[in-house]
PDB file of all heavy atoms in Angstrom:
ATOM      1  N   THR G 265     -15.633 -68.286 230.933  1.00  0.00           N
ATOM      2  CA  THR G 265     -14.801 -69.499 230.853  1.00  0.00           C
ATOM      3  C   THR G 265     -14.479 -69.705 229.439  1.00  0.00           C
ATOM      4  O   THR G 265     -15.341 -69.993 228.567  1.00  0.00           O
ATOM      5  CB  THR G 265     -15.493 -70.612 231.450  1.00  0.00           C
ATOM      6  OG1 THR G 265     -15.732 -70.331 232.859  1.00  0.00           O
ATOM      7  CG2 THR G 265     -14.602 -71.798 231.486  1.00  0.00           C
ATOM      8  N   LEU G 266     -13.204 -69.594 229.045  1.00  0.00           N
ATOM      9  CA  LEU G 266     -12.837 -69.727 227.687  1.00  0.00           C
ATOM     10  C   LEU G 266     -11.643 -70.641 227.653  1.00  0.00           C
ATOM     11  O   LEU G 266     -10.697 -70.539 228.418  1.00  0.00           O
ATOM     12  CB  LEU G 266     -12.392 -68.335 227.158  1.00  0.00           C
ATOM     13  CG  LEU G 266     -12.118 -68.100 225.776  1.00  0.00           C
ATOM     14  CD1 LEU G 266     -13.461 -68.130 225.005  1.00  0.00           C
ATOM     15  CD2 LEU G 266     -11.463 -66.766 225.462  1.00  0.00           C
ATOM     16  N   THR G 267     -11.734 -71.677 226.705  1.00  0.00           N
ATOM     17  CA  THR G 267     -10.493 -72.473 226.399  1.00  0.00           C
ATOM     18  C   THR G 267     -10.218 -72.300 224.980  1.00  0.00           C
ATOM     19  O   THR G 267     -11.044 -72.276 224.092  1.00  0.00           O
ATOM     20  CB  THR G 267     -10.821 -73.959 226.778  1.00  0.00           C
ATOM     21  OG1 THR G 267     -11.913 -74.419 225.960  1.00  0.00           O
ATOM     22  CG2 THR G 267     -11.077 -74.148 228.262  1.00  0.00           C
ATOM     23  N   ALA G 268      -8.831 -72.282 224.725  1.00  0.00           N
ATOM     24  CA  ALA G 268      -8.361 -72.222 223.372  1.00  0.00           C
ATOM     25  C   ALA G 268      -7.281 -73.253 223.153  1.00  0.00           C
ATOM     26  O   ALA G 268      -6.352 -73.373 224.083  1.00  0.00           O
ATOM     27  CB  ALA G 268      -7.867 -70.799 223.253  1.00  0.00           C
ATOM     28  N   HIS G 269      -7.442 -73.986 222.083  1.00  0.00           N
ATOM     29  CA  HIS G 269      -6.479 -75.090 221.705  1.00  0.00           C
ATOM     30  C   HIS G 269      -5.964 -74.729 220.293  1.00  0.00           C
ATOM     31  O   HIS G 269      -6.712 -74.690 219.304  1.00  0.00           O
ATOM     32  CB  HIS G 269      -7.134 -76.393 221.789  1.00  0.00           C
ATOM     33  CG  HIS G 269      -6.176 -77.446 221.481  1.00  0.00           C
ATOM     34  ND1 HIS G 269      -6.324 -78.134 220.309  1.00  0.00           N
ATOM     35  CD2 HIS G 269      -5.201 -78.106 222.133  1.00  0.00           C
ATOM     36  CE1 HIS G 269      -5.349 -79.008 220.167  1.00  0.00           C
ATOM     37  NE2 HIS G 269      -4.704 -79.076 221.332  1.00  0.00           N
ATOM     38  N   ARG G 270      -4.621 -74.473 220.235  1.00  0.00           N
ATOM     39  CA  ARG G 270      -4.042 -74.255 218.864  1.00  0.00           C
ATOM     40  C   ARG G 270      -4.098 -75.548 218.102  1.00  0.00           C
ATOM     41  O   ARG G 270      -3.605 -76.545 218.457  1.00  0.00           O
ATOM     42  CB  ARG G 270      -2.685 -73.721 218.987  1.00  0.00           C
ATOM     43  CG  ARG G 270      -2.062 -73.384 217.577  1.00  0.00           C
ATOM     44  CD  ARG G 270      -0.727 -72.884 217.664  1.00  0.00           C
ATOM     45  NE  ARG G 270      -0.736 -71.564 218.281  1.00  0.00           N
ATOM     46  CZ  ARG G 270       0.258 -70.592 218.138  1.00  0.00           C
ATOM     47  NH1 ARG G 270       1.314 -70.878 217.375  1.00  0.00           N
ATOM     48  NH2 ARG G 270       0.199 -69.561 218.661  1.00  0.00           N
ATOM     49  N   LEU G 271      -4.732 -75.560 216.957  1.00  0.00           N
ATOM     50  CA  LEU G 271      -4.811 -76.741 216.142  1.00  0.00           C
ATOM     51  C   LEU G 271      -3.667 -76.863 215.168  1.00  0.00           C
ATOM     52  O   LEU G 271      -3.115 -77.962 214.811  1.00  0.00           O
ATOM     53  CB  LEU G 271      -6.106 -76.729 215.421  1.00  0.00           C
ATOM     54  CG  LEU G 271      -7.429 -76.735 216.235  1.00  0.00           C
ATOM     55  CD1 LEU G 271      -8.600 -76.672 215.251  1.00  0.00           C
ATOM     56  CD2 LEU G 271      -7.490 -77.978 217.050  1.00  0.00           C
ATOM     57  N   ALA G 272      -3.312 -75.721 214.553  1.00  0.00           N
ATOM     58  CA  ALA G 272      -2.256 -75.683 213.553  1.00  0.00           C
ATOM     59  C   ALA G 272      -1.728 -74.317 213.384  1.00  0.00           C
ATOM     60  O   ALA G 272      -2.383 -73.263 213.681  1.00  0.00           O
ATOM     61  CB  ALA G 272      -2.756 -76.213 212.233  1.00  0.00           C
ATOM     62  N   SER G 273      -0.438 -74.170 212.813  1.00  0.00           N
ATOM     63  CA  SER G 273       0.086 -72.878 212.559  1.00  0.00           C
ATOM     64  C   SER G 273       1.201 -72.973 211.519  1.00  0.00           C
ATOM     65  O   SER G 273       1.678 -74.016 211.261  1.00  0.00           O
ATOM     66  CB  SER G 273       0.583 -72.206 213.815  1.00  0.00           C
ATOM     67  OG  SER G 273       1.703 -72.957 214.377  1.00  0.00           O
ATOM     68  N   GLY G 274       1.434 -71.790 210.941  1.00  0.00           N
ATOM     69  CA  GLY G 274       2.525 -71.753 209.953  1.00  0.00           C
ATOM     70  C   GLY G 274       2.972 -70.274 209.806  1.00  0.00           C
ATOM     71  O   GLY G 274       2.457 -69.402 210.599  1.00  0.00           O
ATOM     72  N   PRO G 275       3.822 -69.925 208.918  1.00  0.00           N
ATOM     73  CA  PRO G 275       4.346 -68.579 208.784  1.00  0.00           C
ATOM     74  C   PRO G 275       3.065 -67.653 208.470  1.00  0.00           C
ATOM     75  O   PRO G 275       2.492 -67.840 207.499  1.00  0.00           O
ATOM     76  CB  PRO G 275       5.248 -68.651 207.621  1.00  0.00           C
ATOM     77  CG  PRO G 275       5.711 -70.073 207.526  1.00  0.00           C
ATOM     78  CD  PRO G 275       4.495 -70.860 207.914  1.00  0.00           C
ATOM     79  N   GLY G 276       2.757 -66.785 209.446  1.00  0.00           N
ATOM     80  CA  GLY G 276       1.753 -65.689 209.228  1.00  0.00           C
ATOM     81  C   GLY G 276       0.406 -66.090 209.642  1.00  0.00           C
ATOM     82  O   GLY G 276      -0.517 -65.390 209.488  1.00  0.00           O
ATOM     83  N   TRP G 277       0.113 -67.394 210.108  1.00  0.00           N
ATOM     84  CA  TRP G 277      -1.227 -67.779 210.394  1.00  0.00           C
ATOM     85  C   TRP G 277      -1.109 -68.794 211.542  1.00  0.00           C
ATOM     86  O   TRP G 277      -0.261 -69.470 211.794  1.00  0.00           O
ATOM     87  CB  TRP G 277      -1.908 -68.440 209.200  1.00  0.00           C
ATOM     88  CG  TRP G 277      -1.164 -69.713 208.659  1.00  0.00           C
ATOM     89  CD1 TRP G 277      -0.225 -69.716 207.732  1.00  0.00           C
ATOM     90  CD2 TRP G 277      -1.519 -71.041 208.953  1.00  0.00           C
ATOM     91  NE1 TRP G 277       0.189 -71.019 207.567  1.00  0.00           N
ATOM     92  CE2 TRP G 277      -0.652 -71.842 208.333  1.00  0.00           C
ATOM     93  CE3 TRP G 277      -2.430 -71.613 209.864  1.00  0.00           C
ATOM     94  CZ2 TRP G 277      -0.647 -73.212 208.412  1.00  0.00           C
ATOM     95  CZ3 TRP G 277      -2.441 -72.996 209.967  1.00  0.00           C
ATOM     96  CH2 TRP G 277      -1.560 -73.767 209.277  1.00  0.00           C
ATOM     97  N   ARG G 278      -2.410 -68.877 212.207  1.00  0.00           N
ATOM     98  CA  ARG G 278      -2.629 -69.936 213.205  1.00  0.00           C
ATOM     99  C   ARG G 278      -4.109 -70.190 213.331  1.00  0.00           C
ATOM    100  O   ARG G 278      -4.895 -69.290 213.038  1.00  0.00           O
ATOM    101  CB  ARG G 278      -2.008 -69.600 214.552  1.00  0.00           C
ATOM    102  CG  ARG G 278      -2.624 -68.387 215.230  1.00  0.00           C
ATOM    103  CD  ARG G 278      -1.579 -67.696 216.184  1.00  0.00           C
ATOM    104  NE  ARG G 278      -0.313 -67.268 215.691  1.00  0.00           N
ATOM    105  CZ  ARG G 278      -0.080 -66.365 214.865  1.00  0.00           C
ATOM    106  NH1 ARG G 278      -0.946 -65.624 214.255  1.00  0.00           N
ATOM    107  NH2 ARG G 278       1.264 -66.077 214.570  1.00  0.00           N
ATOM    108  N   VAL G 279      -4.426 -71.431 213.613  1.00  0.00           N
ATOM    109  CA  VAL G 279      -5.845 -71.809 213.778  1.00  0.00           C
ATOM    110  C   VAL G 279      -6.065 -72.260 215.191  1.00  0.00           C
ATOM    111  O   VAL G 279      -5.325 -73.224 215.638  1.00  0.00           O
ATOM    112  CB  VAL G 279      -6.269 -72.851 212.737  1.00  0.00           C
ATOM    113  CG1 VAL G 279      -7.772 -73.180 212.919  1.00  0.00           C
ATOM    114  CG2 VAL G 279      -6.053 -72.404 211.251  1.00  0.00           C
ATOM    115  N   VAL G 280      -7.033 -71.675 215.899  1.00  0.00           N
ATOM    116  CA  VAL G 280      -7.348 -72.010 217.271  1.00  0.00           C
ATOM    117  C   VAL G 280      -8.814 -72.469 217.382  1.00  0.00           C
ATOM    118  O   VAL G 280      -9.706 -71.802 216.911  1.00  0.00           O
ATOM    119  CB  VAL G 280      -6.992 -70.812 218.187  1.00  0.00           C
ATOM    120  CG1 VAL G 280      -7.286 -71.123 219.647  1.00  0.00           C
ATOM    121  CG2 VAL G 280      -5.577 -70.365 217.999  1.00  0.00           C
ATOM    122  N   ASP G 281      -8.996 -73.578 218.170  1.00  0.00           N
ATOM    123  CA  ASP G 281     -10.303 -73.976 218.487  1.00  0.00           C
ATOM    124  C   ASP G 281     -10.730 -73.301 219.803  1.00  0.00           C
ATOM    125  O   ASP G 281     -10.002 -73.593 220.860  1.00  0.00           O
ATOM    126  CB  ASP G 281     -10.307 -75.543 218.615  1.00  0.00           C
ATOM    127  CG  ASP G 281     -11.646 -76.178 218.893  1.00  0.00           C
ATOM    128  OD1 ASP G 281     -12.702 -75.415 218.504  1.00  0.00           O
ATOM    129  OD2 ASP G 281     -11.716 -77.270 219.333  1.00  0.00           O
ATOM    130  N   VAL G 282     -11.741 -72.485 219.758  1.00  0.00           N
ATOM    131  CA  VAL G 282     -12.108 -71.754 220.949  1.00  0.00           C
ATOM    132  C   VAL G 282     -13.441 -72.141 221.412  1.00  0.00           C
ATOM    133  O   VAL G 282     -14.394 -72.091 220.680  1.00  0.00           O
ATOM    134  CB  VAL G 282     -12.043 -70.245 220.617  1.00  0.00           C
ATOM    135  CG1 VAL G 282     -12.428 -69.344 221.894  1.00  0.00           C
ATOM    136  CG2 VAL G 282     -10.761 -69.685 220.078  1.00  0.00           C
ATOM    137  N   ILE G 283     -13.513 -72.491 222.670  1.00  0.00           N
ATOM    138  CA  ILE G 283     -14.811 -72.888 223.258  1.00  0.00           C
ATOM    139  C   ILE G 283     -15.067 -71.977 224.488  1.00  0.00           C
ATOM    140  O   ILE G 283     -14.287 -71.835 225.368  1.00  0.00           O
ATOM    141  CB  ILE G 283     -14.681 -74.348 223.857  1.00  0.00           C
ATOM    142  CG1 ILE G 283     -14.459 -75.327 222.623  1.00  0.00           C
ATOM    143  CG2 ILE G 283     -16.074 -74.719 224.528  1.00  0.00           C
ATOM    144  CD1 ILE G 283     -14.215 -76.781 222.969  1.00  0.00           C
ATOM    145  N   CYS G 284     -16.243 -71.382 224.537  1.00  0.00           N
ATOM    146  CA  CYS G 284     -16.615 -70.408 225.552  1.00  0.00           C
ATOM    147  C   CYS G 284     -17.870 -71.026 226.224  1.00  0.00           C
ATOM    148  O   CYS G 284     -18.756 -71.479 225.504  1.00  0.00           O
ATOM    149  CB  CYS G 284     -16.996 -69.090 224.917  1.00  0.00           C
ATOM    150  SG  CYS G 284     -17.518 -67.902 226.219  1.00  0.00           S
ATOM    151  N   THR G 285     -17.866 -70.941 227.526  1.00  0.00           N
ATOM    152  CA  THR G 285     -19.036 -71.557 228.177  1.00  0.00           C
ATOM    153  C   THR G 285     -19.796 -70.408 228.994  1.00  0.00           C
ATOM    154  O   THR G 285     -20.637 -70.684 229.854  1.00  0.00           O
ATOM    155  CB  THR G 285     -18.549 -72.579 229.318  1.00  0.00           C
ATOM    156  OG1 THR G 285     -17.683 -72.032 230.195  1.00  0.00           O
ATOM    157  CG2 THR G 285     -18.000 -73.775 228.600  1.00  0.00           C
ATOM    158  N   ALA G 286     -19.593 -69.145 228.685  1.00  0.00           N
ATOM    159  CA  ALA G 286     -20.296 -68.055 229.338  1.00  0.00           C
ATOM    160  C   ALA G 286     -21.668 -68.063 229.036  1.00  0.00           C
ATOM    161  O   ALA G 286     -22.117 -68.629 227.966  1.00  0.00           O
ATOM    162  CB  ALA G 286     -19.738 -66.707 228.844  1.00  0.00           C
ATOM    163  N   GLY G 287     -22.508 -67.432 229.940  1.00  0.00           N
ATOM    164  CA  GLY G 287     -23.968 -67.443 229.752  1.00  0.00           C
ATOM    165  C   GLY G 287     -24.514 -66.020 230.045  1.00  0.00           C
ATOM    166  O   GLY G 287     -23.728 -65.084 230.214  1.00  0.00           O
ATOM    167  N   PRO G 288     -25.834 -65.871 230.115  1.00  0.00           N
ATOM    168  CA  PRO G 288     -26.476 -64.622 230.360  1.00  0.00           C
ATOM    169  C   PRO G 288     -25.995 -63.876 231.633  1.00  0.00           C
ATOM    170  O   PRO G 288     -26.087 -62.609 231.617  1.00  0.00           O
ATOM    171  CB  PRO G 288     -27.944 -64.967 230.362  1.00  0.00           C
ATOM    172  CG  PRO G 288     -28.046 -66.230 229.704  1.00  0.00           C
ATOM    173  CD  PRO G 288     -26.777 -67.004 229.933  1.00  0.00           C
ATOM    174  N   HIS G 289     -25.636 -64.614 232.621  1.00  0.00           N
ATOM    175  CA  HIS G 289     -25.335 -63.967 233.926  1.00  0.00           C
ATOM    176  C   HIS G 289     -23.803 -63.624 233.923  1.00  0.00           C
ATOM    177  O   HIS G 289     -23.354 -62.989 235.046  1.00  0.00           O
ATOM    178  CB  HIS G 289     -25.737 -64.751 235.021  1.00  0.00           C
ATOM    179  CG  HIS G 289     -27.203 -64.995 235.007  1.00  0.00           C
ATOM    180  ND1 HIS G 289     -28.122 -64.026 235.185  1.00  0.00           N
ATOM    181  CD2 HIS G 289     -27.880 -66.131 234.759  1.00  0.00           C
ATOM    182  CE1 HIS G 289     -29.406 -64.524 235.154  1.00  0.00           C
ATOM    183  NE2 HIS G 289     -29.340 -65.750 234.805  1.00  0.00           N
ATOM    184  N   ASP G 290     -23.040 -64.021 232.966  1.00  0.00           N
ATOM    185  CA  ASP G 290     -21.615 -63.713 233.027  1.00  0.00           C
ATOM    186  C   ASP G 290     -21.277 -62.370 232.389  1.00  0.00           C
ATOM    187  O   ASP G 290     -21.897 -61.966 231.369  1.00  0.00           O
ATOM    188  CB  ASP G 290     -20.798 -64.758 232.192  1.00  0.00           C
ATOM    189  CG  ASP G 290     -20.900 -66.144 232.962  1.00  0.00           C
ATOM    190  OD1 ASP G 290     -20.711 -66.137 234.092  1.00  0.00           O
ATOM    191  OD2 ASP G 290     -21.295 -67.066 232.241  1.00  0.00           O
ATOM    192  N   ARG G 291     -20.400 -61.584 233.054  1.00  0.00           N
ATOM    193  CA  ARG G 291     -20.077 -60.308 232.555  1.00  0.00           C
ATOM    194  C   ARG G 291     -19.065 -60.366 231.477  1.00  0.00           C
ATOM    195  O   ARG G 291     -18.080 -61.119 231.595  1.00  0.00           O
ATOM    196  CB  ARG G 291     -19.566 -59.566 233.724  1.00  0.00           C
ATOM    197  CG  ARG G 291     -19.257 -58.089 233.440  1.00  0.00           C
ATOM    198  CD  ARG G 291     -18.864 -57.324 234.626  1.00  0.00           C
ATOM    199  NE  ARG G 291     -18.460 -55.976 234.344  1.00  0.00           N
ATOM    200  CZ  ARG G 291     -17.736 -55.288 235.059  1.00  0.00           C
ATOM    201  NH1 ARG G 291     -17.323 -55.614 236.217  1.00  0.00           N
ATOM    202  NH2 ARG G 291     -17.441 -54.033 234.659  1.00  0.00           N
ATOM    203  N   SER G 292     -19.270 -59.532 230.404  1.00  0.00           N
ATOM    204  CA  SER G 292     -18.330 -59.607 229.293  1.00  0.00           C
ATOM    205  C   SER G 292     -17.141 -58.665 229.667  1.00  0.00           C
ATOM    206  O   SER G 292     -17.254 -57.669 230.366  1.00  0.00           O
ATOM    207  CB  SER G 292     -18.944 -59.112 228.003  1.00  0.00           C
ATOM    208  OG  SER G 292     -19.282 -57.752 228.037  1.00  0.00           O
ATOM    209  N   GLU G 293     -15.988 -59.050 229.156  1.00  0.00           N
ATOM    210  CA  GLU G 293     -14.807 -58.237 229.269  1.00  0.00           C
ATOM    211  C   GLU G 293     -14.322 -57.635 228.022  1.00  0.00           C
ATOM    212  O   GLU G 293     -14.371 -58.384 226.915  1.00  0.00           O
ATOM    213  CB  GLU G 293     -13.715 -59.031 230.002  1.00  0.00           C
ATOM    214  CG  GLU G 293     -14.067 -59.531 231.381  1.00  0.00           C
ATOM    215  CD  GLU G 293     -12.945 -60.381 231.990  1.00  0.00           C
ATOM    216  OE1 GLU G 293     -11.735 -60.309 231.638  1.00  0.00           O
ATOM    217  OE2 GLU G 293     -13.279 -61.172 232.945  1.00  0.00           O
ATOM    218  N   GLU G 294     -13.612 -56.475 228.078  1.00  0.00           N
ATOM    219  CA  GLU G 294     -13.113 -55.886 226.815  1.00  0.00           C
ATOM    220  C   GLU G 294     -11.834 -56.740 226.383  1.00  0.00           C
ATOM    221  O   GLU G 294     -11.003 -56.988 227.287  1.00  0.00           O
ATOM    222  CB  GLU G 294     -12.714 -54.521 226.989  1.00  0.00           C
ATOM    223  CG  GLU G 294     -12.368 -53.875 225.630  1.00  0.00           C
ATOM    224  CD  GLU G 294     -12.279 -52.375 225.722  1.00  0.00           C
ATOM    225  OE1 GLU G 294     -11.241 -51.865 226.105  1.00  0.00           O
ATOM    226  OE2 GLU G 294     -13.311 -51.791 225.324  1.00  0.00           O
ATOM    227  N   GLU G 295     -11.749 -57.116 225.163  1.00  0.00           N
ATOM    228  CA  GLU G 295     -10.579 -57.813 224.716  1.00  0.00           C
ATOM    229  C   GLU G 295     -10.110 -57.098 223.423  1.00  0.00           C
ATOM    230  O   GLU G 295     -10.707 -56.107 222.969  1.00  0.00           O
ATOM    231  CB  GLU G 295     -10.951 -59.257 224.330  1.00  0.00           C
ATOM    232  CG  GLU G 295     -11.525 -60.016 225.421  1.00  0.00           C
ATOM    233  CD  GLU G 295     -11.961 -61.498 225.041  1.00  0.00           C
ATOM    234  OE1 GLU G 295     -11.108 -62.211 224.637  1.00  0.00           O
ATOM    235  OE2 GLU G 295     -13.195 -61.654 225.182  1.00  0.00           O
ATOM    236  N   GLU G 296      -8.944 -57.507 222.926  1.00  0.00           N
ATOM    237  CA  GLU G 296      -8.436 -56.845 221.707  1.00  0.00           C
ATOM    238  C   GLU G 296      -7.844 -57.875 220.763  1.00  0.00           C
ATOM    239  O   GLU G 296      -7.238 -58.885 221.099  1.00  0.00           O
ATOM    240  CB  GLU G 296      -7.118 -55.996 222.124  1.00  0.00           C
ATOM    241  CG  GLU G 296      -6.533 -55.233 220.957  1.00  0.00           C
ATOM    242  CD  GLU G 296      -5.382 -54.370 221.430  1.00  0.00           C
ATOM    243  OE1 GLU G 296      -5.304 -53.996 222.519  1.00  0.00           O
ATOM    244  OE2 GLU G 296      -4.447 -54.174 220.602  1.00  0.00           O
ATOM    245  N   HIS G 297      -8.186 -57.651 219.463  1.00  0.00           N
ATOM    246  CA  HIS G 297      -7.622 -58.511 218.439  1.00  0.00           C
ATOM    247  C   HIS G 297      -6.144 -58.164 218.213  1.00  0.00           C
ATOM    248  O   HIS G 297      -5.855 -57.156 217.756  1.00  0.00           O
ATOM    249  CB  HIS G 297      -8.453 -58.372 217.157  1.00  0.00           C
ATOM    250  CG  HIS G 297      -9.801 -58.738 217.130  1.00  0.00           C
ATOM    251  ND1 HIS G 297     -10.275 -60.072 217.216  1.00  0.00           N
ATOM    252  CD2 HIS G 297     -11.004 -58.045 217.074  1.00  0.00           C
ATOM    253  CE1 HIS G 297     -11.551 -60.092 217.200  1.00  0.00           C
ATOM    254  NE2 HIS G 297     -12.076 -58.964 217.048  1.00  0.00           N
ATOM    255  N   PRO G 298      -5.267 -59.120 218.437  1.00  0.00           N
ATOM    256  CA  PRO G 298      -3.851 -58.790 218.331  1.00  0.00           C
ATOM    257  C   PRO G 298      -3.510 -58.986 216.773  1.00  0.00           C
ATOM    258  O   PRO G 298      -2.491 -58.363 216.389  1.00  0.00           O
ATOM    259  CB  PRO G 298      -3.135 -59.922 219.107  1.00  0.00           C
ATOM    260  CG  PRO G 298      -4.085 -61.031 219.216  1.00  0.00           C
ATOM    261  CD  PRO G 298      -5.487 -60.487 219.177  1.00  0.00           C
ATOM    262  N   LEU G 299      -4.238 -59.722 216.048  1.00  0.00           N
ATOM    263  CA  LEU G 299      -3.946 -60.033 214.622  1.00  0.00           C
ATOM    264  C   LEU G 299      -5.232 -59.778 213.802  1.00  0.00           C
ATOM    265  O   LEU G 299      -6.375 -59.630 214.408  1.00  0.00           O
ATOM    266  CB  LEU G 299      -3.449 -61.394 214.388  1.00  0.00           C
ATOM    267  CG  LEU G 299      -2.154 -61.747 215.117  1.00  0.00           C
ATOM    268  CD1 LEU G 299      -1.886 -63.282 215.153  1.00  0.00           C
ATOM    269  CD2 LEU G 299      -0.962 -60.942 214.586  1.00  0.00           C
ATOM    270  N   VAL G 300      -5.177 -60.038 212.546  1.00  0.00           N
ATOM    271  CA  VAL G 300      -6.470 -60.066 211.714  1.00  0.00           C
ATOM    272  C   VAL G 300      -7.172 -61.271 212.128  1.00  0.00           C
ATOM    273  O   VAL G 300      -6.463 -62.392 212.287  1.00  0.00           O
ATOM    274  CB  VAL G 300      -6.084 -60.196 210.231  1.00  0.00           C
ATOM    275  CG1 VAL G 300      -7.287 -60.326 209.430  1.00  0.00           C
ATOM    276  CG2 VAL G 300      -5.288 -58.898 209.777  1.00  0.00           C
ATOM    277  N   SER G 301      -8.432 -61.299 212.484  1.00  0.00           N
ATOM    278  CA  SER G 301      -9.108 -62.479 212.980  1.00  0.00           C
ATOM    279  C   SER G 301     -10.393 -62.754 212.088  1.00  0.00           C
ATOM    280  O   SER G 301     -11.157 -61.862 211.705  1.00  0.00           O
ATOM    281  CB  SER G 301      -9.670 -62.100 214.350  1.00  0.00           C
ATOM    282  OG  SER G 301      -8.630 -61.899 215.286  1.00  0.00           O
ATOM    283  N   ILE G 302     -10.495 -63.979 211.678  1.00  0.00           N
ATOM    284  CA  ILE G 302     -11.619 -64.547 211.031  1.00  0.00           C
ATOM    285  C   ILE G 302     -12.080 -65.704 211.844  1.00  0.00           C
ATOM    286  O   ILE G 302     -11.344 -66.739 211.858  1.00  0.00           O
ATOM    287  CB  ILE G 302     -11.271 -64.928 209.553  1.00  0.00           C
ATOM    288  CG1 ILE G 302     -10.852 -63.751 208.735  1.00  0.00           C
ATOM    289  CG2 ILE G 302     -12.616 -65.562 208.935  1.00  0.00           C
ATOM    290  CD1 ILE G 302     -10.310 -64.127 207.307  1.00  0.00           C
ATOM    291  N   ALA G 303     -13.202 -65.603 212.571  1.00  0.00           N
ATOM    292  CA  ALA G 303     -13.597 -66.667 213.356  1.00  0.00           C
ATOM    293  C   ALA G 303     -14.916 -67.276 212.886  1.00  0.00           C
ATOM    294  O   ALA G 303     -15.932 -66.648 212.787  1.00  0.00           O
ATOM    295  CB  ALA G 303     -13.865 -66.254 214.869  1.00  0.00           C
ATOM    296  N   ALA G 304     -14.902 -68.600 212.491  1.00  0.00           N
ATOM    297  CA  ALA G 304     -15.974 -69.316 212.039  1.00  0.00           C
ATOM    298  C   ALA G 304     -16.826 -69.895 213.227  1.00  0.00           C
ATOM    299  O   ALA G 304     -16.257 -70.646 214.064  1.00  0.00           O
ATOM    300  CB  ALA G 304     -15.589 -70.520 211.066  1.00  0.00           C
ATOM    301  N   VAL G 305     -18.039 -69.368 213.371  1.00  0.00           N
ATOM    302  CA  VAL G 305     -18.841 -69.872 214.476  1.00  0.00           C
ATOM    303  C   VAL G 305     -19.411 -71.251 214.131  1.00  0.00           C
ATOM    304  O   VAL G 305     -20.068 -71.408 213.100  1.00  0.00           O
ATOM    305  CB  VAL G 305     -19.994 -68.869 214.760  1.00  0.00           C
ATOM    306  CG1 VAL G 305     -20.816 -69.507 215.941  1.00  0.00           C
ATOM    307  CG2 VAL G 305     -19.563 -67.550 215.082  1.00  0.00           C
ATOM    308  N   THR G 306     -19.101 -72.313 214.995  1.00  0.00           N
ATOM    309  CA  THR G 306     -19.478 -73.621 214.645  1.00  0.00           C
ATOM    310  C   THR G 306     -20.607 -74.182 215.621  1.00  0.00           C
ATOM    311  O   THR G 306     -21.232 -75.140 215.272  1.00  0.00           O
ATOM    312  CB  THR G 306     -18.300 -74.625 214.677  1.00  0.00           C
ATOM    313  OG1 THR G 306     -17.710 -74.592 215.992  1.00  0.00           O
ATOM    314  CG2 THR G 306     -17.240 -74.146 213.638  1.00  0.00           C
ATOM    315  N   ALA G 307     -20.836 -73.449 216.713  1.00  0.00           N
ATOM    316  CA  ALA G 307     -21.878 -73.862 217.625  1.00  0.00           C
ATOM    317  C   ALA G 307     -22.233 -72.696 218.565  1.00  0.00           C
ATOM    318  O   ALA G 307     -21.337 -71.798 218.866  1.00  0.00           O
ATOM    319  CB  ALA G 307     -21.460 -75.034 218.531  1.00  0.00           C
ATOM    320  N   GLY G 308     -23.461 -72.565 218.942  1.00  0.00           N
ATOM    321  CA  GLY G 308     -23.896 -71.570 219.798  1.00  0.00           C
ATOM    322  C   GLY G 308     -24.092 -70.217 219.213  1.00  0.00           C
ATOM    323  O   GLY G 308     -23.856 -69.930 217.923  1.00  0.00           O
ATOM    324  N   THR G 309     -24.576 -69.225 220.014  1.00  0.00           N
ATOM    325  CA  THR G 309     -24.757 -67.861 219.456  1.00  0.00           C
ATOM    326  C   THR G 309     -24.225 -66.867 220.481  1.00  0.00           C
ATOM    327  O   THR G 309     -24.142 -67.152 221.715  1.00  0.00           O
ATOM    328  CB  THR G 309     -26.224 -67.541 219.262  1.00  0.00           C
ATOM    329  OG1 THR G 309     -26.890 -67.662 220.540  1.00  0.00           O
ATOM    330  CG2 THR G 309     -26.930 -68.439 218.251  1.00  0.00           C
ATOM    331  N   PHE G 310     -23.757 -65.808 220.093  1.00  0.00           N
ATOM    332  CA  PHE G 310     -23.246 -64.683 220.983  1.00  0.00           C
ATOM    333  C   PHE G 310     -23.357 -63.253 220.261  1.00  0.00           C
ATOM    334  O   PHE G 310     -23.503 -63.252 218.977  1.00  0.00           O
ATOM    335  CB  PHE G 310     -21.927 -65.031 221.398  1.00  0.00           C
ATOM    336  CG  PHE G 310     -20.860 -65.087 220.389  1.00  0.00           C
ATOM    337  CD1 PHE G 310     -20.039 -63.972 220.095  1.00  0.00           C
ATOM    338  CD2 PHE G 310     -20.579 -66.257 219.694  1.00  0.00           C
ATOM    339  CE1 PHE G 310     -19.091 -64.108 219.172  1.00  0.00           C
ATOM    340  CE2 PHE G 310     -19.626 -66.303 218.709  1.00  0.00           C
ATOM    341  CZ  PHE G 310     -18.865 -65.241 218.439  1.00  0.00           C
TER     342      PHE G 310
END
């Protein structure tokens, strides 16, 4: 379970608030970075 809310964007950049509620029994899925990604972890571990 993943929710993403775009907070702001401009030419060449966007900032998204991403909240994941997955746990130990949830299966991970392969994903792909469409752009250069720098994600600051603000809560939880993974």
Side-chain angles (χ1 to χ4, degrees):
T265 304
L266 193 72
T267 59
H269 178 257
R270 184 180 292 204
L271 299 174
S273 63
W277 63 274
R278 62 207 52 70
V279 180
V280 180
D281 186 20
V282 179
I283 300 172
C284 179
T285 60
H289 301 293
D290 294 309
R291 186 173 173 198
S292 67
E293 296 180 23
E294 187 170 87
E295 300 177 65
E296 181 180 334
H297 293 291
L299 300 168
V300 176
S301 298
I302 301 172
V305 181
T306 61
T309 61
F310 61 97

